[in-house]
Amino acid sequence: MAEFTTQEQFNCMISMCREMFEKKLYDYGPSWRIMRCTSITDQIFIKASRIRTLEVKKESKVGEGILPEFIAIVNYGIVGLIQLELGNTLLLDITNEQALALYDKYAEATTSLMLKKNHDYGEAWRLMRVDSYTDLILTKIYRTKQIEDHCGATLVSEGVDANYMDMINYALFGLIKLHYGE
């Protein structure tokens, strides 16, 4: 197999996540529009907690592995970014096409952030273990919950949006490692 650049690998994994997002949009529509960001953060927590449990126990009793959970973290993270922009509603006020356009907007913004950080950190993520990404995602979740409990106010820290983007990027790193190998 030919060597792929980080951006090519990243784009491949985002495409895989987007495909799942699009299929779920077909099944459910943008039903997630009713979710408050706190609920989205909790959904990401559930997914990351399951990954950690599977990493520790090395066994799944429901037959689903870690890969779908990382995909879900990416997709819920992007949903969180969309909800931060639009706010939650009790009405399904966007079409599937609008939801996909917003997905693409935030996938692109997250990729741009990753490329900037990857330049500065020199691809250090490639030397990390997948379970470290899980721990970092869980840490970002607890930070996000704290910020949410403070109604978004921070003294020196980045906001919820930056934490969602970091969670997305760590999940994508995990997907790259699981898909392409170490």
Side-chain angles (χ1 to χ4, degrees):
M1 173 166 53
E3 282 287 316
F4 294 99
T5 66
T6 295
Q7 186 166 2
E8 289 169 333
Q9 291 175 335
F10 210 77
N11 290 342
C12 180
M13 294 301 101
I14 287 176
S15 292
M16 184 172 60
C17 295
R18 187 187 190 277
E19 183 179 324
M20 180 60 69
F21 184 82
E22 189 170 12
K23 287 176 180 177
K24 290 203 177 215
L25 265 178
Y26 177 82
D27 288 347
Y28 307 127
S31 57
W32 44 263
R33 285 289 293 125
I34 69 161
M35 293 180 80
R36 292 171 277 196
C37 287
T38 53
S39 297
I40 294 166
T41 302
D42 285 343
Q43 278 299 119
I44 296 170
F45 173 75
I46 289 167
K47 301 301 182 181
S49 294
R50 182 165 187 276
I51 292 169
R52 185 161 170 154
T53 298
L54 292 174
E55 289 170 345
V56 170
K57 292 185 177 181
K58 310 272 190 239
E59 175 188 17
S60 170
K61 295 223 174 186
V62 295
E64 295 176 352
I66 292 171
L67 204 74
E69 303 299 348
F70 275 131
I71 291 170
I73 289 170
V74 170
N75 288 342
Y76 275 118
I78 291 176
V79 164
L81 292 168
I82 294 169
Q83 293 296 80
L84 283 172
E85 176 183 334
L86 300 181
N88 62 289
T89 179
L90 290 175
L91 304 171
L92 301 185
D93 60 348
I94 61 174
T95 65
N96 289 3
E97 293 74 24
Q98 290 168 317
L100 285 170
L102 288 162
Y103 185 99
D104 293 341
K105 171 185 171 180
Y106 285 107
E108 185 177 313
T110 302
T111 300
S112 176
L113 176 66
M114 181 280 300
L115 290 170
K116 290 174 188 172
K117 286 187 174 186
N118 200 41
H119 172 271
D120 290 357
Y121 287 93
E123 299 217 338
W125 66 271
R126 290 196 180 272
L127 303 174
M128 296 170 63
R129 298 174 189 97
V130 173
D131 59 0
S132 292
Y133 306 138
T134 306
D135 292 348
L136 287 166
I137 291 167
L138 285 164
T139 301
K140 292 288 181 177
I141 291 165
Y142 281 109
R143 290 178 180 180
T144 301
K145 286 182 173 201
Q146 188 70 28
I147 294 167
E148 289 169 345
D149 289 347
H150 292 145
C151 299
T154 61
L155 297 177
V156 296
S157 303
E158 296 175 311
V160 171
D161 58 338
N163 281 285
Y164 279 152
M165 284 187 171
D166 285 345
M167 289 180 233
I168 293 165
N169 282 332
Y170 287 130
L172 285 163
F173 291 155
L175 287 169
I176 289 169
K177 285 249 185 161
L178 293 171
H179 183 78
Y180 291 98
E182 302 292 321

